[in-house]
Amino acid sequence: TLALSIDNLRKTYGNGFEALKGISLEVKQGDFFALLGPNGAGKSTTLGIVSSLVNKSEGQVKVFGHDIDSELTLAKLCLGVVPQEFNFNPFEKVFDIVVTQAGYYGIGRKRAGERAEFYLRKLGLWEKRNERARMLSGGMKRRLMIARALVHDPKMLILDEPTAGVDIELRRSMWEFLREINAAGTTIILTTHYLEEAESLCRNIAIIDHGRIIQNSTMKALLAKL
Ligand code: ADP
Ligand code: ADP
């Protein structure tokens, strides 16, 4: 089974704007995949549809073989999603945000606490566990989003511009963390407009521009062409 298959995906927004003009993609299990492209290309729209935050207009999306139209619950169980915008409750405490998320997946309180501790420690947030999320720096908020996305140990992690606005040093430690969880078997898809980020992390890439895939290859093949 593929981790993700997208077939002829189209999205026209309510205002008539055609953000995706029929894109097709496949991501294999265990891959580290980048969706690369300039601002406005359609990257967030694509990941938004895969994570069912955005409705598609046409086409088929399967997550680990589960069609998001007919098997949405199963598809969602496979996914951890880190959207670009911070969407946690800023007044909730860091630890509670992660544990509450685990509850949505039916994970018991004890195990939820253990998973939350594991990822908060890994992401350097354990000391901040009793802080309200609004008190965290931007980089910490991003890491909190990642801990929350991973708490149910999803098969695939989806990140939309994970290091936007993050300084170089923290970016490198986030890369290190992502490599580690990918090596442990989690499929990762991220969007970025930094070629350097894709180059450093990803095995396979698709380049999207004006709602169309203009290249889909291994990172190596892309670099050989440049
Ligand atoms: P849909 O067709 O998926 O229902 P809408 O067109 O209704 O999407 O827009 C959803 C939300 O996105 C609205 O709140 C809208 O204000 C906002 N929005 C509209 N245009 C843009 C844009 N160019 N970029 C980002 N968000 C936008
Ligand atoms: P990217 O992530 O590559 O920067 P997006 O998927 O966010 O691109 O946006 C693709 C295009 O769709 C952009 O031109 C954006 O302005 C437009 N767009 C995004 N959301 C909406 C919306 N809700 N309504 C109308 N247009 C939108």
Side-chain angles (χ1 to χ4, degrees):
T1 343
L2 291 164
L4 176 66
S5 79
I6 295 179
D7 188 32
N8 195 29
L9 184 63
R10 292 173 184 274
K11 171 65 181 179
T12 305
Y13 279 107
N15 62 359
F17 184 80
E18 238 188 312
L20 297 179
K21 299 169 183 162
I23 70 165
S24 299
L25 268 187
E26 291 187 345
V27 178
K28 294 194 176 71
Q29 291 192 38
D31 202 355
F32 203 138
F33 191 96
L35 203 51
L36 192 66
N39 278 323
K43 303 183 296 296
S44 296
T45 301
T46 304
L47 292 196
I49 291 169
V50 173
S51 22
S52 68
L53 302 169
V54 175
N55 292 321
K56 62 186 166 62
S57 304
E58 218 179 285
Q60 191 183 46
V61 177
K62 286 185 182 177
V63 177
F64 288 88
H66 304 298
D67 192 305
I68 62 164
D69 289 325
S70 54
E71 297 187 310
L72 182 59
T73 308
L74 289 171
K76 276 185 160 179
L77 274 177
C78 299
L79 291 180
V81 181
V82 183
Q84 231 177 99
E85 279 82 38
F86 300 134
N87 61 357
F88 44 73
N89 173 353
F91 300 102
E92 204 177 353
K93 290 180 181 168
V94 167
F95 185 74
D96 297 341
I97 287 173
V98 181
V99 168
T100 302
Q101 181 76 9
Y104 298 143
Y105 295 94
I107 299 170
R109 190 82 199 167
K110 181 160 177 291
R111 175 147 176 85
E114 288 164 5
R115 299 318 290 153
E117 176 170 351
F118 177 79
Y119 284 113
L120 289 174
R121 282 191 189 282
K122 275 234 167 255
L123 286 156
L125 288 173
W126 185 240
E127 279 65 45
K128 301 285 178 185
R129 65 190 175 281
N130 291 316
E131 299 268 5
R132 294 186 196 285
R134 60 189 283 271
M135 303 306 289
L136 302 181
S137 70
M140 287 177 181
K141 285 174 180 161
R142 184 66 57 199
R143 282 178 280 151
L144 170 59
M145 299 273 286
I146 296 175
R148 186 184 63 173
L150 286 171
V151 74
H152 62 296
D153 292 319
K155 290 181 180 172
M156 178 155 75
L157 182 64
I158 291 185
L159 308 108
D160 197 357
E161 299 275 356
T163 59
V166 169
D167 67 55
I168 289 279
E169 204 167 316
L170 180 56
R171 191 178 302 163
R172 291 192 189 288
S173 82
M174 284 174 67
W175 288 358
E176 211 39 63
F177 173 79
L178 293 175
R179 279 195 199 98
E180 198 182 307
I181 63 163
N182 176 245
T186 308
T187 307
I188 300 183
I189 303 181
L190 57 77
T191 68
T192 182
H193 54 266
Y194 300 120
L195 179 62
E196 193 210 343
E197 179 156 277
E199 183 183 345
S200 161
L201 289 172
C202 300
R203 266 186 296 279
N204 291 298
I205 58 134
I207 301 180
I208 182 165
D209 191 26
H210 290 94
R212 287 199 172 87
I213 303 279
I214 57 168
Q215 174 152 1
N216 189 351
S217 68
T218 63
M219 193 67 223
K220 265 192 192 146
L222 172 74
L223 292 172
K225 274 194 188 178
L226 294 179

